[in-house]
Amino acid sequence: MSNYTEEINRRRTFAIISHPDAGKTTLTEKFLLYGGAINLAGSVKGKATARHAVSDWMEIEKERGISVTSSVLQFEYDGYCINILDTPGHQDFSEDTYRTLMAADSAVMVIDASKGVEAQTRKLFKVCGMRGIPIFTFINKMDRDANDTFELLDDIEKELGIATCPVNWPIGSGKGFKGVYDREKKCVIAYSDTEKGTREGTATEIPVQDEAHLREIIGDEAADKLLEEIELLDGASAEFDLQEVRAGQLTPVCFGSALTNFGVEIFLKHFLNMTTTPLPRMSDMGLIEPTEQEFSAFVFKIQANMNKAHRDRIAFMRICSGRFDANMEVRHVQGDKVMRLSQPQQIMADERKILSEAYAGDIIGVFDPGIFSIGDTLCMPKAKFRYEGIPTFAPEHFARVRQVDTMKRKQFVKGIEQIAQEGAIQIFQEYNTGLEEIIVGVVGVLQFDVLKYRLENEYNVEIRLENLPYEHIRWIANKEEIDLAKLSGTSDMKKVKDMKGNPLLLFVNSWSIGMTLDRNPGLELQEFSKN
Ligand code: G4P
């Protein structure tokens, strides 16, 4: 055991996921409020003001009024040191969101009570499921008319395939929202919307045994319904089992209203109680325990030009074990170089703080002179192991890209390769040709605009994009066993390779995928690549 064990054990690192507009930003803001990181909710990431100020590193964001960057927020609460990985809300940037989830140990899922599970929630949940990390659900906007509570839980169970366990239970919604019933304490916390910009703490708690008082506060009708529902609930809902929560099979559910600041602190407290200390990570040497090894980290995100004036590139890494000291030398395993990390910093919503030390569970950003790639490992100079790669997710839109001025070939290739290295786009080549034919794949079409914009502005290269009809991409899982030249597919299938030389197939529709599998016995296809 080392002297940094205590520091590591008080860390909690989680991502917040939701469909856009469910209230992720508002909830994050309230968390920060409790941590004392901000004085008044709204001052850090209010949509109209700070959100733009934070991320105006790219004109495109301003033009479109969306947030394409994700940031990391750290705050202290109740002895815990909490890292929140905020993810961009826009669906076009979901690949970035996926990667961010790789750096988290658990996820908070925010659901709009009037909408239930939505498209983006489903996608993100799938990635959490791949990792088996614990998921905590906050059903938000109870101050507005909500769907039936049992139906909301049913929706989560059926749509996402995870059992639910309500921590508290709402009493009405919208104008009739009276508060929540805390199942553990067996008391009702009466709703008040007067806490908007302040900390909670003044809420009235009424034990349910004190029925007369309860009826007086929430009314007879609401009290009758509540008592009936409590009985139903105790009989029907899944037994709480911490092991299942930690395995990502059971999600504790809290109801509240982030905007009016109701139910947020209760949720945070329960969440911190149930969530884990930084989890071990798999490497080619086996599992690396956070407190048993000296410093190690992996890069999960690269972001270029966060600060326009400096044209810089920041590599975000998750520290997986030990303690990081800004003065120490580390090994970049993939580059096989020992170095000092330059300008290690914590990227807050609207500022960067240069840091001198950090611990497993923390996320740091370092200046990247163009040497890091997504998934790279950093460790102590004497160590030499690699963390498991970060899966590359299947792009859903494809275009052929050509530079307008053929004299600018070099800049074009450099630019497109660097942008691909950051993971903003994926590039593919036709199987038998050189680099002259580049195919770009993106998860969301907006990334095509980002690519065009960045090549023009940062590399001075104008490009033309020609949309291709492909919608599905499959990596060949057993590439050693398959002779690509002999592979017989459908007429609309295209054989390409990725930057690392892995063979892939592009298809226009899912029918062609089935057909190709039928025609090539033994062929194994997969939707993501792990290296
Ligand atoms: P997101 O990050 O998940 O995209 O959502 P965000 O927090 O930005 O919230 C989306 C909208 O929902 C915002 O309104 C926000 O004020 C509202 N909202 C969030 N939580 C609650 C809640 O508990 N109750 C109610 N009634 N509304 C909530 P907006 O009008 O789009 O933005 P703004 O002008 O209020 O900032």
Side-chain angles (χ1 to χ4, degrees):
M1 290 273 253
S2 52
N3 56 359
Y4 43 70
T5 304
E6 204 174 299
E7 275 299 332
I8 294 175
N9 285 343
R10 67 185 197 96
R11 265 136 176 101
R12 297 290 183 278
T13 304
F14 65 94
I16 300 201
I17 61 172
S18 78
H19 190 83
D21 271 349
K24 188 164 58 78
T25 310
T26 314
L27 186 68
T28 308
E29 237 170 53
K30 298 293 148 71
F31 283 163
L32 295 180
L33 181 71
Y34 292 121
I38 52 171
N39 296 321
L40 195 68
S43 64
V44 166
K45 290 189 79 209
K47 249 190 198 161
T49 51
R51 192 183 263 196
H52 284 169
V54 170
S55 52
D56 67 355
W57 61 281
M58 204 185 229
E59 288 297 319
I60 234 168
E61 281 193 334
K62 270 199 280 187
E63 279 166 21
R64 307 263 178 143
I66 52 158
S67 165
V68 297
T69 58
S70 40
S71 57
V72 186
L73 304 158
Q74 189 182 61
F75 67 96
E76 299 267 335
Y77 177 80
D78 209 12
Y80 294 99
C81 176
I82 299 164
N83 293 300
I84 304 185
L85 291 151
D86 185 20
T87 49
H90 196 279
Q91 60 177 18
D92 265 2
F93 288 84
S94 44
E95 187 161 20
D96 218 21
T97 313
Y98 293 158
R99 290 198 200 100
T100 300
L101 287 171
M102 298 294 144
D105 296 316
S106 59
V108 165
M109 173 163 79
V110 187
I111 286 179
D112 182 331
S114 67
K115 303 218 167 98
V117 174
E118 295 176 85
Q120 186 85 341
T121 333
R122 224 170 278 131
K123 273 187 163 184
L124 292 163
F125 184 87
K126 220 168 126 184
V127 181
C128 293
M130 269 171 65
R131 295 205 38 226
I133 57 173
I135 295 163
F136 300 86
T137 305
F138 186 77
I139 299 192
N140 190 28
K141 304 199 187 180
M142 290 309 297
D143 59 306
R144 289 217 189 129
D145 289 341
N147 293 357
D148 176 75
T149 315
F150 285 107
E151 274 172 27
L152 278 167
L153 297 179
D154 223 37
D155 191 31
I156 297 174
E157 303 212 345
K158 289 213 178 87
E159 285 263 3
L160 306 178
I162 186 169
T164 58
C165 178
V167 170
N168 61 24
W169 192 257
I171 306 163
S173 69
K175 286 204 175 71
F177 185 48
K178 300 278 198 294
V180 290
Y181 164 67
D182 184 324
R183 294 185 66 203
E184 193 183 52
K185 285 194 188 159
K186 299 201 187 315
C187 69
V188 164
I189 296 140
Y191 172 66
S192 89
D193 63 356
T194 53
E195 307 286 329
K196 261 191 175 177
T198 58
R199 283 165 169 248
E200 251 166 340
T202 53
T204 332
E205 287 189 12
I206 314 138
V208 271
Q209 295 100 311
D210 193 354
E211 213 179 301
H213 189 192
L214 184 69
R215 287 181 182 279
E216 189 189 318
I217 300 285
I218 67 170
D220 279 335
E221 202 183 322
D224 287 342
K225 186 163 184 263
L226 174 69
L227 294 171
E228 199 181 302
E229 285 180 340
I230 292 175
E231 211 167 295
L232 257 176
L233 191 61
D234 289 344
S237 78
E239 280 278 319
F240 179 76
D241 180 336
L242 192 58
Q243 277 326 99
E244 279 183 39
V245 172
R246 294 201 170 159
Q249 291 158 351
L250 176 71
T251 178
V253 181
C254 277
F255 294 82
S257 157
L259 186 69
T260 58
N261 203 12
F262 183 79
V264 177
E265 192 168 24
I266 310 173
F267 174 64
L268 184 61
K269 281 197 164 136
H270 274 280
F271 168 72
L272 290 170
N273 254 334
M274 287 184 241
T275 188
T276 61
T277 54
L279 293 174
R281 303 268 157 170
M282 190 48 89
S283 76
D284 56 2
M285 255 179 41
L287 269 185
I288 304 284
E289 291 290 340
T291 52
E292 282 168 18
Q293 281 276 343
E294 286 185 279
F295 167 78
S296 70
F298 70 85
V299 177
F300 66 94
K301 177 185 164 72
I302 292 173
Q303 197 161 293
N305 303 334
M306 283 181 77
N307 184 341
K308 236 183 156 182
H310 298 105
R311 273 199 60 160
D312 58 357
R313 188 165 132 153
I314 302 283
F316 287 82
M317 44 191 86
R318 145 104 192 190
I319 304 183
C320 300
S321 65
R323 171 178 177 271
F324 170 76
D325 181 319
N327 294 315
M328 73 190 191
E329 290 200 309
V330 300
R331 173 182 296 278
H332 172 217
V333 179
Q334 276 76 0
D336 200 19
K337 275 213 174 78
V338 172
M339 60 174 84
R340 253 187 202 97
L341 293 178
S342 178
Q343 302 169 20
Q345 51 199 293
Q346 209 181 352
I347 316 283
M348 297 292 283
D350 55 355
E351 59 173 316
R352 301 179 187 187
K353 203 171 81 189
I354 295 288
L355 45 83
S356 54
E357 61 168 19
Y359 296 87
D362 289 343
I363 310 295
I364 58 171
V366 304
F367 176 73
D368 172 20
I371 55 171
F372 297 120
S373 288
I374 305 273
D376 283 3
T377 300
L378 289 110
C379 53
M380 295 305 281
K382 285 200 183 118
K384 223 178 189 178
F385 59 84
R386 286 169 193 238
Y387 280 109
E388 218 175 40
I390 292 185
T392 306
F393 293 92
E396 289 162 23
H397 307 275
F398 299 86
R400 186 173 281 128
V401 50
R402 290 201 181 91
Q403 86 257 39
V404 174
D405 180 352
T406 46
M407 299 298 283
K408 291 190 174 162
R409 186 73 198 163
K410 248 175 112 175
Q411 290 104 297
F412 168 63
V413 173
K414 183 176 166 211
I416 204 159
E417 282 186 349
Q418 281 196 348
I419 296 172
Q421 223 178 22
E422 289 162 23
I425 53 161
Q426 291 178 46
I427 52 178
F428 308 100
Q429 282 166 254
E430 297 242 16
Y431 217 73
N432 293 317
T433 62
L435 253 185
E436 57 272 12
E437 188 83 321
I438 294 183
I439 293 173
V440 177
V442 296
V443 173
V445 281
L446 195 58
Q447 275 151 302
F448 283 142
D449 294 350
V450 172
L451 173 68
K452 201 165 174 347
Y453 178 90
R454 289 192 51 192
L455 281 172
E456 270 169 35
N457 284 274
E458 293 165 30
Y459 300 90
N460 200 17
V461 179
E462 205 185 322
I463 55 160
R464 211 169 274 137
L465 288 158
E466 181 198 329
N467 290 330
L468 295 171
Y470 307 106
E471 284 184 10
H472 304 274
I473 188 165
R474 292 292 181 273
W475 276 267
I476 297 176
N478 52 340
K479 59 181 178 190
E480 289 78 17
E481 296 157 27
I482 300 291
D483 181 354
L484 206 67
K486 291 205 184 119
L487 196 88
S488 92
T490 51
S491 58
D492 59 7
M493 185 188 85
K494 197 176 187 66
K495 298 172 189 172
V496 293
K497 58 186 173 188
D498 66 15
M499 274 175 96
K500 290 173 180 156
N502 295 314
L504 303 119
L505 303 173
L506 298 180
F507 298 96
V508 173
N509 53 45
S510 49
W511 177 85
S512 304
I513 304 177
M515 205 57 200
T516 305
L517 282 169
D518 283 349
R519 286 184 183 163
N520 301 276
L523 175 69
E524 284 172 32
L525 299 176
Q526 63 188 23
E527 274 185 73
F528 57 87
S529 153
K530 275 213 141 177
N531 48 54

